[in-house]
Amino acid sequence: MYSSVDTIWVLLGAALVFFMQAGFAMVETGLTRAKNAGNIIMKNLMDFCIGTPCFWIVGFGLMFAGSGPLIGGLDPFIRGDYSASYPTWAFVIFQTVFCATAATIVSGAMAERTKFSAYCLYSGLISLLVYPISGHWIWGGGWLAQLGFHDFAGSTAVHMVGGVAAAVGAAILGPRIGKYTPQGKPNAIPGHSLTLAALGCFILWFCWFGFNGCSTVSMTGDEAIVSASLIFVNTNLAAAVATCVTMAFTWVRYKKPDVSMSLNGSLAGLVAITAGCDLVSPVGAAVIGIAAGLLVVLAVEFFDKVVKIDDPVGAISVHGVCGAAGTLLTGLLSVDQGAFYGHGFGFFGVQCLGVASVIAWVLVMMLIIFTLIKKTVGLRVTEQEELDGLDVHEHGLVSSYADFMPVLTANENTSIGAQSYAEATSAARDAAVPVVQTAAVTQTGPAAPAMHKVVILLRKNRFEPLKKALNALGVSGMTVTQVMGCGLQKGAGEFYRGVEMDVNLLPKIKVEVVISKLSVQQVVDAAKQALYTGHIGDGKIFVYDVARVVKVRTGEENYDALQDLEP
């Protein structure tokens, strides 16, 4: 029988677990680029808001059959019969916030290239069907529970479910543009704010005391109080040890202690201890923390370099790998049932079976869900939308930051005709990407091939196409600068909360190259074709004659100074 103290304890836990949404939002936003910050926030908001009614209408009944709403029989909830005791309602909201946690994990691994509509669909389906079924096996009296499978607060039921779903989604979605070289080598794409990521990590750590501690669902009696206290100690210890191990491991491996990986280490320790925080001793919690701290680094490298699944925040490694590892280690380190305490491997075998079966369930279901979404509404945004950032295309948000100058985007006021460079007239091309030829500079010194400096001002999102075009011509040396500016149009107006924004200065990229062997026209034509979109503001090209070039290291001048070959 629940007491009022027990109910207050459960409600406190529900509030703390709900606040984990803020932690996930900050971690994911900080570890991705600023141009997608608004999209990340919107996803973390909506997965909870979509998941709540989905779990209430169907998911809760599937997970706890006979305890709440069922398909075709919402009885007391639809009829307005609220005579159920208050502990029942506390349990409903407690389970709802756990469900939302599983759904939000997927967001980070698929960040920066997923359609918002697709995200809303699969997030709802996770809360509606995927999470509740495996949750029933573990917590709803299902077959795993009957076998003795133990997952106290959700290393497998919540975190591994989210991690496996994230792995399937990220694999089908494919890597972000620029993540891998043509040879398959991964490129680093740093997030825009480690400060936000660290804030999110601390929020999650704080809320995890509710996630694990309040999963006792009771604070009545000495036994419950002692259990909750031990859970708090184990939760904190595993996270702290994992962070220390990750920091030390990356210090040795990368020659410097890695900040973002250490944040992942904290979360990895929290995820791993969640399954057995009530069964292991503090020594066992420390061992689990050590394992998680090492595993998360190796797993991130494995998915990044070997499997080549692009996971911007490490969600697959933190939640999927460490969730499974923590559940398995519980079978070895449980004081009362663990193999390392002389109780045989029977319990460990049940833990292995549980992990394998949940992986199989989520893998199959998410393959079906993601494939159906990909074939219908589409899963990934276009290349142009990804380069520009999802904020502007998915939400009409020029920037999530008031003092961050937005990228100039095309609208009806800047169009000058054909969108295709091949179809555009010469006049349209010149209007979109004007070329300014300066007065010739008198050449002095020894006779040498003519040298010219070409300065190109362009939109940020056109830099990669320009770089490829110049490399194809044989231009490899360039100077690249981020600048601010605008033309006569003063930027293209966007709207924020219905109010038109007056943009004066816009972020641009300035590329400078000096050429001698190539003709200027080749470079100009290649640049115009790479930059052209059919709108004013595509860029501007300036051509200067160069009088003299000196290479400081060798003393070579002019044509010879421009060559990168060793003497």
Side-chain angles (χ1 to χ4, degrees):
M1 175 67 91
Y2 282 94
S3 69
S4 58
V5 173
D6 295 335
T7 302
I8 292 170
W9 183 243
V10 172
L11 291 175
L12 172 64
L16 285 171
V17 176
F18 166 74
F19 196 54
M20 291 177 79
Q21 294 291 128
F24 281 118
M26 294 301 97
V27 168
E28 292 172 22
T29 303
L31 293 179
T32 51
R33 288 167 289 187
K35 64 183 180 180
N36 299 306
N39 180 258
I40 295 292
I41 296 300
M42 192 68 165
K43 287 177 178 176
N44 279 269
L45 171 67
M46 293 314 300
D47 64 45
F48 182 81
C49 295
I50 293 171
T52 293
C54 288
F55 189 69
W56 169 66
I57 294 171
V58 175
F60 185 85
L62 290 177
M63 192 165 173
F64 302 98
S67 303
L70 291 171
I71 300 173
L74 304 180
D75 342 359
F77 298 87
I78 293 295
R79 294 199 315 268
D81 178 7
Y82 301 112
S83 59
S85 62
Y86 53 81
T88 301
W89 295 112
F91 188 65
V92 169
I93 189 60
F94 191 62
Q95 291 299 328
T96 299
V97 294
F98 271 70
C99 176
T101 300
T104 201
I105 289 167
V106 186
S107 171
M110 299 176 67
E112 301 200 291
R113 72 267 201 210
T114 305
K115 280 187 176 182
F116 183 68
S117 57
Y119 180 80
C120 292
L121 283 172
Y122 70 69
S123 180
L125 289 169
I126 289 171
S127 302
L128 196 74
L129 183 63
V130 179
Y131 169 80
I133 295 295
S134 55
H136 172 73
W137 298 348
I138 298 167
W139 290 338
W143 66 279
L144 283 177
Q146 294 172 27
L147 286 175
F149 180 78
H150 187 85
D151 183 10
F152 182 71
S155 286
T156 290
V158 177
H159 295 282
M160 196 187 76
V161 166
V164 173
V168 175
I172 293 175
L173 194 61
R176 290 167 291 173
I177 295 171
K179 175 61 182 176
Y180 293 99
T181 67
Q183 294 74 37
K185 181 182 177 181
N187 292 317
I189 304 180
H192 80 284
S193 177
L194 279 176
T195 306
L196 283 180
L199 175 62
C201 180
F202 280 115
I203 289 173
L204 287 170
W205 194 327
F206 170 70
C207 293
W208 227 285
F209 292 117
F211 197 91
N212 287 357
C214 295
S215 289
T216 60
V217 299
S218 175
M219 279 297 276
T220 302
D222 292 343
E223 185 177 346
I225 294 172
V226 170
S227 177
S229 301
L230 176 64
I231 289 167
F232 269 59
V233 170
N234 284 345
T235 298
N236 187 67
L237 185 60
V241 170
T243 309
C244 291
V245 169
T246 299
M247 181 199 71
F249 189 39
T250 57
W251 205 332
V252 172
R253 198 170 182 82
Y254 309 140
K255 311 306 179 188
K256 295 287 176 65
D258 190 288
V259 180
S260 66
M261 198 73 87
S262 296
L263 296 175
N264 274 160
S266 303
L267 302 181
L270 291 166
V271 168
I273 193 60
T274 294
C277 55
D278 63 324
L279 294 185
V280 303
S281 68
V283 172
V287 172
I288 289 173
I290 292 170
L294 293 172
L295 267 177
V296 71
V297 178
L298 297 174
V300 166
E301 291 188 4
F302 174 76
F303 286 108
D304 208 31
K305 299 177 180 178
V306 179
V307 184
K308 292 183 171 49
I309 294 178
D310 183 14
D311 179 359
V313 304
I316 301 168
S317 304
V318 169
H319 300 279
V321 174
C322 292
T327 307
L328 297 178
L329 286 171
T330 300
L332 300 175
L333 296 168
S334 168
V335 174
D336 297 327
Q337 303 177 71
F340 289 175
Y341 285 82
H343 300 291
F345 285 90
F347 179 49
F348 177 70
V350 172
Q351 295 296 97
C352 292
L353 176 63
V355 168
S357 60
V358 173
I359 289 175
W361 162 252
V362 179
L363 189 66
V364 171
M365 287 303 299
M366 295 312 299
L367 274 172
I368 294 171
I369 288 170
F370 283 126
T371 301
L372 288 174
I373 291 174
K374 185 177 181 179
K375 299 292 185 182
T376 53
V377 300
L379 194 58
R380 183 164 183 154
V381 298
T382 66
E383 179 179 343
Q384 192 60 54
E385 289 170 340
E386 184 178 342
L387 291 171
D388 290 345
L390 302 190
D391 283 6
V392 65
H393 288 286
E394 293 277 26
H395 310 288
L397 186 67
V398 292
S399 171
S400 297
Y401 298 91
D403 59 347
F404 187 91
M405 296 304 173
V407 175
L408 176 61
T409 54
N411 63 27
E412 64 277 8
N413 297 320
T414 65
S415 176
I416 56 174
Q419 304 300 302
S420 167
Y421 182 82
E423 296 174 359
T425 65
S426 176
R429 294 173 184 176
D430 291 340
V433 189
V435 180
V436 179
Q437 178 80 47
T438 65
V441 177
T442 303
Q443 178 81 23
T444 59
M451 298 179 295
H452 306 278
K453 181 169 76 168
V454 181
V455 178
I456 308 168
L457 294 173
L458 61 142
R459 304 174 191 266
K460 282 186 171 183
N461 62 334
R462 302 308 298 167
F463 175 65
E464 286 297 326
L466 175 66
K467 185 172 68 173
K468 290 179 181 178
L470 294 181
N471 284 340
L473 286 178
V475 178
S476 56
M478 63 180 69
T479 301
V480 181
T481 313
Q482 295 196 44
V483 295
M484 304 294 293
C486 66
L488 293 175
Q489 276 65 37
K490 305 297 183 184
E494 286 288 350
F495 289 85
Y496 176 69
R497 299 175 72 87
V499 179
E500 187 171 7
M501 300 175 65
D502 181 21
V503 179
N504 292 318
L505 294 178
L506 300 167
K508 294 280 187 177
I509 296 289
K510 181 169 73 171
V511 174
E512 299 173 88
V513 298
V514 177
I515 57 174
S516 57
K517 191 173 181 181
L518 289 170
S519 75
V520 171
Q521 197 57 47
Q522 281 182 286
V523 176
V524 168
D525 289 344
K528 291 179 71 172
Q529 187 164 353
L531 303 183
Y532 182 84
T533 67
H535 292 83
I536 294 172
D538 279 347
K540 188 169 287 187
I541 301 171
F542 298 86
V543 181
Y544 304 86
D545 285 350
V546 177
R548 189 181 181 192
V549 177
V550 179
K551 182 183 286 187
V552 174
R553 179 173 59 86
T554 63
E556 294 170 294
E557 295 195 10
N558 301 332
Y559 175 80
D560 292 333
L562 296 175
Q563 311 311 304
D564 291 328
L565 299 176
E566 291 296 326

